[in-house]
């Protein structure tokens, strides 16, 4: 069974600091997805990473994918309070495109 | 216009009852999904449909029966509700099944079984 592990699960950081969230997965996949969920809200797609070495950036968030290491990172630069949310990575377990296995999520709290 | 809409937003019911959740997407996507999010925020795929055809049924009890009357709708009917069914159920859609497109999620249905 595909395992998707995120680290850390909880993160409290000060505004202005940098940090990285890690996502490891247990089977071969060349696609990885990052989603954001605000408390009590739905999920919003952040990044779709489709190949080894893919890097995508939006605002203060940058995601990368290393398929050989089965690792994706979500880097936060100069955090602001608005980034407080839960971040999920997800992997397509069968490569079919019809289902995603999600990690347990990283709850991020950015404090002044 | 809401891209993926689910109703109801909240559902409180007694054990043993039967209930339905409706989902509609106006994005023209051909693939729709049901995900379950438990109290620890863990998200798990339940079903996926492509052009009204069931593609994924991820070991979900038979009490859960999805129905897709057309590719814009995917409803979820649950029979004989149990306490463990309490969760947030998310409908989602995407274009195609090649995994290259992001999912668009509905706002969720919070189901509480008493």
């Amino acid at each position: 069974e595909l395992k998707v592990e995120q680290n850390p699960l909880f993160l409290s950081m000060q505004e202005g600091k940098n940090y990285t969230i890690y996502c490891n997965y247990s089977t071969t996949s060349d696609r990885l997805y990052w989603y954001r969920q605000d408390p009590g809200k739905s999920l919003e797609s952040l990044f779709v990473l489709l190949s080894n070495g893919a890097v995508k950036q939006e605002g203060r968030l940058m995601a990368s994918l290393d398929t050989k290491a089965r690792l994706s990172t979500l880097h936060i630069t100069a955090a602001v309070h608005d980034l407080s949310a839960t971040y999920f990575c997800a992997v397509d377990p069968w490569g079919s495109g019809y289902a995603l296995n999600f990690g347990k999520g990283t709850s991020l709290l950015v404090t002044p | 216009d809401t891209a993926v809409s689910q109703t109801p937003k909240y559902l409180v019911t007694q054990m043993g009852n039967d209930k339905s959740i409706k989902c509609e997407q106006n994005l023209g996507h051909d693939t729709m999904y049901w995900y379950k999010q438990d109290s620890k925020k863990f998200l798990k795929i339940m079903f996926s449909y492509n052009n009204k055809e069931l593609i994924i049924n991820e070991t979900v009890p038979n009490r859960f029966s999805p129905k897709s009357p057309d590719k814009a709708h995917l409803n979820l009917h649950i029979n004989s509700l149990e306490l463990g069914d309490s969760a947030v159920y998310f409908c989602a859609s995407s274009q195609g099944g090649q995994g290259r497109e992001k999912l668009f999620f509905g706002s969720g249905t919070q189901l509480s079984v008493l």
Side-chain angles (χ1 to χ4, degrees):
Chain A
E1 182 185 334
L2 171 64
K3 291 185 180 177
V4 182
E5 295 182 346
Q6 288 183 235
N7 181 22
L9 297 182
F10 299 96
L11 176 57
S12 179
M13 58 189 296
Q14 285 186 312
E15 283 187 327
K17 299 291 187 183
N18 303 334
Y19 207 84
T20 300
I21 298 170
Y22 297 88
C23 175
N24 288 92
Y25 53 97
S26 63
T27 193
T28 306
S29 177
D30 62 358
R31 304 166 192 163
L32 190 129
Y33 311 80
W34 284 96
Y35 287 83
R36 168 182 170 147
Q37 185 178 34
D38 291 314
K41 303 290 185 182
S42 185
L43 285 92
E44 174 191 359
S45 175
L46 291 175
F47 301 108
V48 178
L49 303 169
L50 295 176
S51 60
N52 185 39
V55 177
K56 290 201 173 177
Q57 181 163 6
E58 176 140 352
R60 300 173 188 275
L61 301 177
M62 183 173 72
S64 65
L65 177 61
D66 181 342
T67 59
K68 293 178 182 175
R70 299 180 186 173
L71 171 68
S72 179
T73 61
L74 181 65
H75 187 72
I76 303 158
T77 302
V80 293
H81 180 69
D82 285 352
L83 290 179
S84 297
T86 299
Y87 294 86
F88 293 92
C89 64
V91 179
D92 183 345
W94 301 288
S96 70
Y98 289 116
L100 294 181
N101 270 28
F102 282 80
K104 292 185 177 179
T106 297
S107 291
L108 171 65
L109 176 63
V110 181
T111 57
Chain B
D1 265 352
T2 304
V4 182
S5 58
Q6 297 178 228
T7 54
K9 189 168 176 62
Y10 300 98
L11 190 49
V12 181
T13 188
Q14 301 283 338
M15 278 177 56
N17 284 350
D18 303 338
K19 290 293 179 186
S20 292
I21 306 172
K22 294 188 176 181
C23 179
E24 175 182 5
Q25 53 94 3
N26 63 6
L27 297 167
H29 290 165
D30 54 13
T31 306
M32 296 185 72
Y33 313 79
W34 279 109
Y35 280 84
K36 177 180 179 181
Q37 186 173 44
D38 64 21
S39 58
K40 295 183 179 178
K41 294 190 186 173
F42 183 58
L43 268 162
K44 188 170 172 60
I45 180 73
M46 298 175 70
F47 302 102
S48 64
Y49 270 74
N50 179 254
N51 279 318
K52 303 192 300 174
E53 184 180 334
L54 179 65
I55 303 296
I56 299 286
N57 178 346
E58 188 57 11
T59 60
V60 177
N62 290 339
R63 299 182 296 103
F64 290 80
S65 51
K67 284 191 171 49
S68 183
D70 55 60
K71 72 176 191 179
H73 295 83
L74 180 61
N75 303 323
L76 184 65
H77 188 75
I78 315 168
N79 289 326
S80 303
L81 278 155
E82 300 178 357
L83 292 176
D85 297 331
S86 296
V88 180
Y89 292 84
F90 285 99
C91 176
S93 73
S94 67
Q95 181 56 37
Q98 299 308 308
R100 295 187 173 274
E101 301 294 330
K102 60 186 179 183
L103 298 181
F104 288 79
F105 282 83
S107 58
T109 295
Q110 180 148 359
L111 172 64
S112 298
V113 182
L114 307 177

